[in-house]
Amino acid sequence: MAWAWYRADEIPSQQLGNGWLTIIALGSFQVATAMLGMLQPRKWREQSVKFLQNLIELLLISLAILCLNSANNVLWILYLVPIVSAIRFLTDNKRTIVISAAIVMATLVGFLSSSRLLDAGVPLIITTFGTLVLYVLRRLSINPSALVDQKTEIAQILDQYPSGICVIDQQRRLVFVNSSLVQQFGSWSPAQRCDQYLRCEHANCLVCQHPQQSISRQNLRLPNNRKVPFSVESRAIADGQLLLLFLKPANAIRLDLYEHLLHAIVEGNEQSYRNALSRFLDSIRQDFRAETAAIFWLVDGRLQRDICSGPPLPFTEYYEPGQGITGLTLISMADSQRGCTIVVNNLGELESASISHSLTETSVIYPKYHEHYQQALPSRQVRHLIAAPINGRQRIIGVLRLVNHLDQDGKPDDDGFQRFHETDLNLICERLAQALEYREFYLEQQRQLDEISRFYRIYAASTQGREVFETIVKEALNAFSDASKCEIRRFDRFSQTLTV
């Protein structure tokens, strides 16, 4: 408009009038499309709408240049506006049509409105060179078509990712699904919506409604109809045209290690049992990205650390009920025999603070071990702590505790342990309590079976005329493995002596 006003004296009145009408129409059209984008952003981004918008813009720009008789000025740059829109929003076929139409129309308008052949080549050079520059700049971001074609480099990279990845468009239709997710949910088609393929618990989940970067928990159903909680991280890509979803099963108990623990319990070998429990604890620390993990047993009314994972902790550690955050897990309501999970983050900023509990108030940092942990941990700090009780059916068996939630660089992050970490750890502790109670039951049954077998062998010896006393001595030595000798002495009433 400023250029038309500046060159008004050089343009015939009839052409100037038509030019002003075309400029007003172009401006009104731009304002209308901008308002549509604000009021109905999804509709504004649809392929058919953007394609029609770009063609109308090309027509109005061409009419404006013809009416204003301009073949040697900056108005040719206006052709780059629909080209930019096509590169950004349209897919292959429609994008190609718009870009080709822009270059052809600019060239034709240049020939029609120019008086010299050299001036006629200006629009062709500007639109072609501008398109090349835009394509080069576009390579710095993800092009939506790069994910539609499964053979592109970026699609192959995402396909090798061990966790599940899917990409959806603004209508929540699937654009890309990597092989890891296909193995869990089966084959897919571009016509499917994400909630149809993943079988979300809620069709209008917040992950799709709010495309800003976020991490949430969603319950999804596998093809076998089993509901599985997933940790879903979303990222907007391709200038907001697509949404990239990382789907990972929520931190839960590893079934292979849990089964290995049960096998070790059945074997009855104490060393195998402790090794299996250590491997199980290692997997928990790694899945939760904790710097250290430990299991405390409740013995004689206090918690004592037994098994730990992570850097060595060369000191003993125990807590009375209510001492520190770990001991606070033992404090429950009067009518309950179960402990409660405690989560505290930013401990470095709260060393002198206290945490309120329903029954007591305790120091956040238990100074007796705080310095020991600062010296033993590679991070040299204690910032996050989550402690969950291992609740049996009628008593608290122990506590599972994690310290410091680490980022990708192995340093304590700013967020610490979140609500879903607490939910996952409670689930793990519940399964662990079942295994430990099974072990106690199994050992008790074995002890009773050994006693019954022992008495049966003694009884069999007495009925079969064998040496009963020798059998009793042998069974007693087997029952008390620490004993080195066993004797049976007979009391003689007349001599008041004991004889072997």
Side-chain angles (χ1 to χ4, degrees):
M1 294 179 67
W3 183 91
W5 185 272
Y6 177 72
R7 297 287 296 273
D9 297 337
E10 305 175 9
I11 303 173
S13 58
Q14 181 67 30
Q15 291 185 353
L16 181 62
N18 294 334
W20 275 111
L21 290 176
T22 306
I23 291 175
I24 293 173
L26 179 60
S28 301
F29 180 75
Q30 294 289 348
V31 172
T33 55
M35 293 180 63
L36 177 64
M38 290 188 296
L39 298 177
Q40 297 185 16
R42 292 181 179 272
K43 185 70 175 178
W44 181 72
R45 290 175 178 268
E46 288 183 3
Q47 294 284 302
S48 58
V49 174
K50 299 303 292 184
F51 180 68
L52 182 61
Q53 174 189 342
N54 293 337
L55 293 181
I56 295 175
E57 287 175 347
L58 286 174
L59 180 61
L60 293 175
I61 291 171
S62 300
L63 288 175
I65 294 177
L66 284 173
C67 292
L68 297 174
N69 194 23
S70 171
N72 57 355
N73 55 67
V74 295
L75 290 186
W76 300 116
I77 301 177
L78 293 177
Y79 278 103
L80 296 180
V81 175
I83 292 177
V84 170
S85 178
I87 293 176
R88 180 177 179 182
F89 296 107
L90 298 181
T91 54
D92 289 340
N93 295 333
K94 291 184 173 63
R95 183 194 309 124
T96 303
I97 293 174
V98 170
I99 294 175
S100 300
I103 296 175
V104 170
M105 292 178 70
T107 305
L108 290 176
V109 171
F111 275 104
L112 293 175
S113 61
S114 64
S115 57
R116 294 184 304 171
L117 183 62
L118 181 62
D119 292 338
V122 172
L124 176 62
I125 295 174
I126 290 178
T127 52
T128 304
F129 181 75
T131 302
L132 293 175
V133 171
L134 291 173
Y135 264 107
V136 171
L137 295 177
R138 186 63 178 173
R139 290 184 63 86
L140 300 177
S141 61
I142 296 179
N143 194 325
S145 61
L147 294 170
V148 176
D149 186 0
Q150 304 289 317
K151 297 181 180 180
T152 59
E153 183 178 3
I154 187 171
Q156 292 179 359
I157 292 175
L158 295 179
D159 199 49
Q160 299 299 320
Y161 196 73
S163 297
I165 291 180
C166 72
V167 179
I168 60 175
D169 61 15
Q170 295 159 357
Q171 287 74 41
R172 300 165 62 193
R173 296 188 296 252
L174 294 174
V175 175
F176 172 83
V177 177
N178 75 336
S179 59
S180 177
L181 209 58
V182 170
Q183 292 177 1
Q184 299 179 70
F185 291 90
S187 59
W188 63 283
S189 64
Q192 283 183 290
R193 295 202 316 268
C194 59
D195 60 290
Q196 295 172 339
Y197 178 67
L198 300 174
R199 302 179 67 188
C200 304
E201 187 175 24
H202 304 289
N204 294 318
C205 59
L206 296 178
V207 174
C208 297
Q209 297 297 323
H210 300 281
Q212 66 270 19
Q213 181 176 346
S214 63
I215 300 178
S216 62
R217 293 289 300 277
Q218 299 292 327
N219 290 324
L220 310 178
R221 289 190 180 275
L222 299 179
N224 60 7
N225 210 34
R226 185 166 65 94
K227 185 187 296 184
V228 178
F230 275 76
S231 174
V232 183
E233 180 178 358
S234 63
R235 293 176 181 268
I237 59 174
D239 297 322
Q241 298 181 66
L242 302 176
L243 193 64
L244 177 64
L245 302 179
F246 295 89
L247 297 98
K248 179 182 178 183
N251 295 322
I253 201 163
R254 276 190 56 181
L255 294 180
D256 57 336
L257 295 180
Y258 186 72
E259 292 176 357
H260 182 69
L261 177 61
L262 294 178
H263 286 312
I265 290 174
V266 173
E267 289 176 1
N269 187 301
E270 181 68 18
Q271 188 60 43
S272 297
Y273 160 72
R274 291 187 64 85
N275 290 339
L277 195 58
S278 295
R279 290 181 56 193
F280 185 71
L281 186 61
D282 288 339
S283 72
I284 296 174
R285 178 182 59 82
Q286 294 169 6
D287 288 342
F288 282 79
R289 297 211 322 252
E291 189 167 14
T292 181
I295 293 179
F296 295 76
W297 302 126
L298 182 59
V299 180
D300 297 330
R302 71 176 184 178
L303 291 170
Q304 183 167 354
R305 175 164 50 81
D306 180 30
I307 300 176
C308 62
S309 173
L313 302 176
F315 55 92
T316 59
E317 188 177 3
Y318 56 87
Y319 297 91
E320 300 291 340
Q323 281 187 337
I325 299 171
T326 307
L328 195 59
T329 57
L330 300 179
I331 305 298
S332 59
M333 301 303 293
D335 58 346
S336 174
Q337 299 295 324
R338 303 172 67 85
C340 59
T341 302
I342 306 294
V343 182
V344 180
N345 295 314
N346 297 326
L347 288 173
E349 303 172 5
L350 304 172
E351 294 185 11
S352 60
S354 61
I355 181 172
S356 295
H357 188 268
S358 56
L359 298 179
T360 186
E361 184 172 293
T362 184
S363 173
V364 170
I365 297 295
Y366 193 47
K368 183 176 181 180
Y369 304 115
H370 187 216
E371 293 184 1
H372 292 322
Y373 270 95
Q374 287 180 322
Q375 295 173 2
L377 297 180
S379 65
R380 296 293 186 263
Q381 54 183 316
V382 180
R383 293 188 59 185
H384 322 121
L385 190 148
I386 177 171
I390 305 173
N391 290 314
R393 286 174 294 179
Q394 297 180 349
R395 65 184 180 90
I396 301 174
I397 301 174
V399 170
L400 199 161
R401 191 191 67 186
L402 308 176
V403 176
N404 285 343
H405 186 256
L406 304 179
D407 58 18
Q408 299 294 339
D409 298 326
K411 299 178 181 179
D413 61 17
D414 296 330
D415 298 327
F417 296 106
Q418 303 301 309
R419 179 68 179 177
F420 60 87
H421 292 125
E422 179 181 352
T423 302
D424 294 340
L425 194 61
N426 285 334
L427 175 63
I428 291 174
C429 287
E430 180 180 344
R431 297 292 298 273
L432 180 59
Q434 294 174 0
L436 295 174
E437 286 195 319
Y438 172 73
R439 178 174 183 264
E440 293 177 353
F441 174 78
Y442 179 79
L443 292 177
E444 178 63 21
Q445 293 297 311
Q446 286 294 108
R447 186 187 63 81
Q448 294 180 5
L449 182 60
D450 290 342
E451 288 183 356
I452 293 174
S453 299
R454 189 173 299 116
F455 284 116
Y456 174 78
R457 287 191 291 270
I458 294 174
Y459 173 77
S462 64
T463 57
Q464 296 175 7
R466 291 183 295 172
E467 296 292 340
V468 177
F469 293 133
E470 284 77 358
T471 304
I472 294 175
V473 169
K474 180 180 178 181
E475 295 298 333
L477 287 173
N478 291 333
F480 300 94
S481 57
D482 295 336
S484 59
K485 183 179 180 181
C486 178
E487 293 180 346
I488 298 179
R489 293 178 178 268
R490 181 179 297 174
F491 178 69
D492 189 341
R493 295 181 177 180
F494 296 101
S495 63
Q496 297 292 312
T497 60
L498 292 172
T499 57
V500 179

PDB file of all heavy atoms in Angstrom, residues 39-51:
ATOM      1  N   LEU A  39      -9.581 -17.984  15.752  1.00  0.00           N
ATOM      2  CA  LEU A  39     -10.837 -18.533  16.243  1.00  0.00           C
ATOM      3  C   LEU A  39     -10.923 -20.050  16.055  1.00  0.00           C
ATOM      4  O   LEU A  39     -11.433 -20.758  16.924  1.00  0.00           O
ATOM      5  CB  LEU A  39     -12.016 -17.857  15.532  1.00  0.00           C
ATOM      6  CG  LEU A  39     -12.140 -16.339  15.765  1.00  0.00           C
ATOM      7  CD1 LEU A  39     -13.298 -15.778  14.943  1.00  0.00           C
ATOM      8  CD2 LEU A  39     -12.342 -16.029  17.237  1.00  0.00           C
ATOM      9  N   GLN A  40     -10.448 -20.544  14.922  1.00  0.00           N
ATOM     10  CA  GLN A  40     -10.510 -21.977  14.633  1.00  0.00           C
ATOM     11  C   GLN A  40      -9.154 -22.449  14.094  1.00  0.00           C
ATOM     12  O   GLN A  40      -8.990 -22.668  12.884  1.00  0.00           O
ATOM     13  CB  GLN A  40     -11.616 -22.277  13.624  1.00  0.00           C
ATOM     14  CG  GLN A  40     -13.009 -21.938  14.115  1.00  0.00           C
ATOM     15  CD  GLN A  40     -14.091 -22.368  13.132  1.00  0.00           C
ATOM     16  OE1 GLN A  40     -13.852 -23.174  12.232  1.00  0.00           O
ATOM     17  NE2 GLN A  40     -15.292 -21.845  13.319  1.00  0.00           N
ATOM     18  N   PRO A  41      -8.164 -22.587  14.968  1.00  0.00           N
ATOM     19  CA  PRO A  41      -6.821 -22.948  14.509  1.00  0.00           C
ATOM     20  C   PRO A  41      -6.754 -24.288  13.804  1.00  0.00           C
ATOM     21  O   PRO A  41      -5.988 -24.468  12.856  1.00  0.00           O
ATOM     22  CB  PRO A  41      -5.994 -22.946  15.800  1.00  0.00           C
ATOM     23  CG  PRO A  41      -6.987 -23.094  16.907  1.00  0.00           C
ATOM     24  CD  PRO A  41      -8.228 -22.422  16.428  1.00  0.00           C
ATOM     25  N   ARG A  42      -7.554 -25.251  14.246  1.00  0.00           N
ATOM     26  CA  ARG A  42      -7.531 -26.558  13.587  1.00  0.00           C
ATOM     27  C   ARG A  42      -8.058 -26.467  12.156  1.00  0.00           C
ATOM     28  O   ARG A  42      -7.494 -27.068  11.232  1.00  0.00           O
ATOM     29  CB  ARG A  42      -8.350 -27.575  14.390  1.00  0.00           C
ATOM     30  CG  ARG A  42      -7.730 -27.937  15.737  1.00  0.00           C
ATOM     31  CD  ARG A  42      -8.591 -28.960  16.449  1.00  0.00           C
ATOM     32  NE  ARG A  42      -8.004 -29.330  17.732  1.00  0.00           N
ATOM     33  CZ  ARG A  42      -7.123 -30.308  17.883  1.00  0.00           C
ATOM     34  NH1 ARG A  42      -6.747 -31.011  16.827  1.00  0.00           N
ATOM     35  NH2 ARG A  42      -6.619 -30.597  19.073  1.00  0.00           N
ATOM     36  N   LYS A  43      -9.159 -25.751  11.979  1.00  0.00           N
ATOM     37  CA  LYS A  43      -9.718 -25.558  10.645  1.00  0.00           C
ATOM     38  C   LYS A  43      -8.749 -24.794   9.754  1.00  0.00           C
ATOM     39  O   LYS A  43      -8.586 -25.099   8.558  1.00  0.00           O
ATOM     40  CB  LYS A  43     -11.034 -24.793  10.766  1.00  0.00           C
ATOM     41  CG  LYS A  43     -11.794 -24.628   9.459  1.00  0.00           C
ATOM     42  CD  LYS A  43     -12.368 -25.959   8.990  1.00  0.00           C
ATOM     43  CE  LYS A  43     -13.235 -25.773   7.758  1.00  0.00           C
ATOM     44  NZ  LYS A  43     -13.771 -27.071   7.262  1.00  0.00           N
ATOM     45  N   TRP A  44      -8.073 -23.806  10.333  1.00  0.00           N
ATOM     46  CA  TRP A  44      -7.150 -22.964   9.570  1.00  0.00           C
ATOM     47  C   TRP A  44      -5.958 -23.756   9.056  1.00  0.00           C
ATOM     48  O   TRP A  44      -5.394 -23.436   8.017  1.00  0.00           O
ATOM     49  CB  TRP A  44      -6.684 -21.816  10.461  1.00  0.00           C
ATOM     50  CG  TRP A  44      -5.755 -20.850   9.814  1.00  0.00           C
ATOM     51  CD1 TRP A  44      -6.048 -19.918   8.861  1.00  0.00           C
ATOM     52  CD2 TRP A  44      -4.350 -20.721  10.076  1.00  0.00           C
ATOM     53  NE1 TRP A  44      -4.925 -19.204   8.518  1.00  0.00           N
ATOM     54  CE2 TRP A  44      -3.859 -19.680   9.248  1.00  0.00           C
ATOM     55  CE3 TRP A  44      -3.463 -21.368  10.917  1.00  0.00           C
ATOM     56  CZ2 TRP A  44      -2.540 -19.294   9.246  1.00  0.00           C
ATOM     57  CZ3 TRP A  44      -2.144 -20.969  10.924  1.00  0.00           C
ATOM     58  CH2 TRP A  44      -1.694 -19.952  10.098  1.00  0.00           C
ATOM     59  N   ARG A  45      -5.563 -24.818   9.774  1.00  0.00           N
ATOM     60  CA  ARG A  45      -4.405 -25.598   9.383  1.00  0.00           C
ATOM     61  C   ARG A  45      -4.745 -26.774   8.469  1.00  0.00           C
ATOM     62  O   ARG A  45      -3.852 -27.514   8.070  1.00  0.00           O
ATOM     63  CB  ARG A  45      -3.691 -26.139  10.634  1.00  0.00           C
ATOM     64  CG  ARG A  45      -2.986 -25.068  11.455  1.00  0.00           C
ATOM     65  CD  ARG A  45      -2.416 -25.669  12.731  1.00  0.00           C
ATOM     66  NE  ARG A  45      -1.702 -24.691  13.529  1.00  0.00           N
ATOM     67  CZ  ARG A  45      -0.409 -24.455  13.444  1.00  0.00           C
ATOM     68  NH1 ARG A  45       0.318 -25.139  12.584  1.00  0.00           N
ATOM     69  NH2 ARG A  45       0.182 -23.560  14.216  1.00  0.00           N
ATOM     70  N   GLU A  46      -6.009 -26.967   8.156  1.00  0.00           N
ATOM     71  CA  GLU A  46      -6.370 -28.089   7.282  1.00  0.00           C
ATOM     72  C   GLU A  46      -5.751 -27.906   5.896  1.00  0.00           C
ATOM     73  O   GLU A  46      -5.623 -26.788   5.392  1.00  0.00           O
ATOM     74  CB  GLU A  46      -7.894 -28.200   7.174  1.00  0.00           C
ATOM     75  CG  GLU A  46      -8.551 -28.709   8.443  1.00  0.00           C
ATOM     76  CD  GLU A  46     -10.054 -28.870   8.266  1.00  0.00           C
ATOM     77  OE1 GLU A  46     -10.539 -28.624   7.131  1.00  0.00           O
ATOM     78  OE2 GLU A  46     -10.720 -29.239   9.247  1.00  0.00           O
ATOM     79  N   GLN A  47      -5.394 -29.016   5.274  1.00  0.00           N
ATOM     80  CA  GLN A  47      -4.716 -28.983   3.984  1.00  0.00           C
ATOM     81  C   GLN A  47      -5.546 -28.273   2.915  1.00  0.00           C
ATOM     82  O   GLN A  47      -5.034 -27.414   2.176  1.00  0.00           O
ATOM     83  CB  GLN A  47      -4.410 -30.404   3.536  1.00  0.00           C
ATOM     84  CG  GLN A  47      -3.407 -31.137   4.416  1.00  0.00           C
ATOM     85  CD  GLN A  47      -1.990 -30.662   4.159  1.00  0.00           C
ATOM     86  OE1 GLN A  47      -1.502 -30.738   3.042  1.00  0.00           O
ATOM     87  NE2 GLN A  47      -1.339 -30.157   5.193  1.00  0.00           N
ATOM     88  N   SER A  48      -6.810 -28.602   2.822  1.00  0.00           N
ATOM     89  CA  SER A  48      -7.648 -27.996   1.779  1.00  0.00           C
ATOM     90  C   SER A  48      -7.808 -26.492   1.982  1.00  0.00           C
ATOM     91  O   SER A  48      -7.811 -25.719   1.012  1.00  0.00           O
ATOM     92  CB  SER A  48      -9.014 -28.681   1.752  1.00  0.00           C
ATOM     93  OG  SER A  48      -9.648 -28.578   3.026  1.00  0.00           O
ATOM     94  N   VAL A  49      -7.938 -26.073   3.246  1.00  0.00           N
ATOM     95  CA  VAL A  49      -8.096 -24.642   3.541  1.00  0.00           C
ATOM     96  C   VAL A  49      -6.829 -23.875   3.185  1.00  0.00           C
ATOM     97  O   VAL A  49      -6.876 -22.822   2.529  1.00  0.00           O
ATOM     98  CB  VAL A  49      -8.466 -24.446   5.027  1.00  0.00           C
ATOM     99  CG1 VAL A  49      -8.479 -22.949   5.379  1.00  0.00           C
ATOM    100  CG2 VAL A  49      -9.820 -25.069   5.330  1.00  0.00           C
ATOM    101  N   LYS A  50      -5.679 -24.399   3.588  1.00  0.00           N
ATOM    102  CA  LYS A  50      -4.412 -23.701   3.287  1.00  0.00           C
ATOM    103  C   LYS A  50      -4.127 -23.697   1.781  1.00  0.00           C
ATOM    104  O   LYS A  50      -3.603 -22.719   1.243  1.00  0.00           O
ATOM    105  CB  LYS A  50      -3.254 -24.378   4.031  1.00  0.00           C
ATOM    106  CG  LYS A  50      -3.371 -24.367   5.547  1.00  0.00           C
ATOM    107  CD  LYS A  50      -3.496 -22.954   6.087  1.00  0.00           C
ATOM    108  CE  LYS A  50      -2.238 -22.148   5.899  1.00  0.00           C
ATOM    109  NZ  LYS A  50      -2.342 -20.804   6.505  1.00  0.00           N
ATOM    110  N   PHE A  51      -4.472 -24.786   1.114  1.00  0.00           N
ATOM    111  CA  PHE A  51      -4.251 -24.859  -0.339  1.00  0.00           C
ATOM    112  C   PHE A  51      -5.075 -23.797  -1.068  1.00  0.00           C
ATOM    113  O   PHE A  51      -4.568 -23.063  -1.924  1.00  0.00           O
ATOM    114  CB  PHE A  51      -4.619 -26.258  -0.835  1.00  0.00           C
ATOM    115  CG  PHE A  51      -4.430 -26.459  -2.312  1.00  0.00           C
ATOM    116  CD1 PHE A  51      -3.158 -26.473  -2.871  1.00  0.00           C
ATOM    117  CD2 PHE A  51      -5.527 -26.621  -3.147  1.00  0.00           C
ATOM    118  CE1 PHE A  51      -2.982 -26.655  -4.235  1.00  0.00           C
ATOM    119  CE2 PHE A  51      -5.359 -26.808  -4.510  1.00  0.00           C
ATOM    120  CZ  PHE A  51      -4.086 -26.818  -5.049  1.00  0.00           C
TER     121      PHE A  51
END
